[in-house]
Amino acid sequence: MIKSPADSPAITAITDLFVTRFLNRLVPHHCPICGQEISKSGLCGACWNDICFITPPICLYCGAPLPRSLLPKSQLPDAPIDNLSCGACLKAPSPVDRSRAVCRYDVISKSLILPFKHGARLELAGLLAQMMQAQFHELIRPDTLIMPIPLHFTRRLYRRYNQSAELARHLCAQTQKSAQLDVMSLYRRKATRPLARHSKDRRRVMLRDAFALRPHATAHIKGRPILLIDDVLTTGQTSTSAAALLKKHGAAQVDCLAFAKVI
């Protein structure tokens, strides 16, 4: 089969570049937080700088930032910062082995999460997933099952999508891990009221027996590490409840990754 010059990779790349530039002029990109016109998709520089990223030192288990004043002198300022734990995790270990989040849940991160979660701004899923990739690679293994925190079917019907599942799909697509995505094994059998205004103890009660596994799932998860994907970690009770169930049925390890964390 004779290929035309248009089939050349170089020509294709140049064509794609011109098409992209034309489309960017026709429909300019805007920062999803402040609305400023920008040259490519993502955030403007000012809004990027305003995001409060969670950086080391953090608790090895819950991922909460730790005061640098608590670090041994040998770890200041340039030594690796790992294997540290906060007092809460030492006092009461969680079924979740490791939790990580990209940034603090504050005014800026809300400007991304709330439109995505409640406003059907599904185009934000790719951006949020891209920002989660560093923590994703930290937690993932070749045999890890990736499970989004499920919604009860009544809430899914109302919202029309599960924001955690959208994040998981984009993360897996961006990192070529789609074969490890499992959106069927874990489901929510209990329709809990919105948890936002309830205390940690009250959430624990409300989430008791909230999750269940499909009949086929036990053999599927036995001995496997699992990564739960969520949008926001508030008190951690949702991921704790899901992790306890998964470990009860044989999961070797359960980690959790979210875009933002309430601190």
Side-chain angles (χ1 to χ4, degrees), residues 19-50:
V19 169
T20 300
R21 287 180 175 177
F22 172 75
L23 291 175
N24 286 344
R25 288 182 176 275
L26 187 65
V27 186
H29 294 287
H30 291 84
C31 173
I33 295 178
C34 69
Q36 177 182 330
E37 186 173 319
I38 50 181
S39 60
K40 59 182 181 179
S41 62
L43 303 179
C44 70
C47 289
W48 179 268
N49 290 333
D50 284 342

Side-chain angles (χ1 to χ4, degrees), residues 120-141:
R121 292 283 304 278
L122 295 181
E123 75 276 8
L124 294 174
L127 171 63
L128 299 182
Q130 190 172 18
M131 295 172 69
M132 296 166 71
Q133 280 190 31
Q135 290 82 356
F136 182 76
H137 286 299
E138 175 191 348
L139 298 172
I140 203 75
R141 284 171 25 186

Side-chain angles (χ1 to χ4, degrees), residues 188 190 192 195 202-211 235-239 241:
R188 202 161 188 151
K190 183 178 176 182
T192 56
L195 302 174
R202 181 59 183 157
R203 288 174 185 235
R204 185 183 300 114
V205 173
M206 294 171 67
L207 287 164
R208 188 175 298 152
D209 299 323
F211 297 102
T235 65
Q237 289 305 304
T238 300
S239 56
S241 178

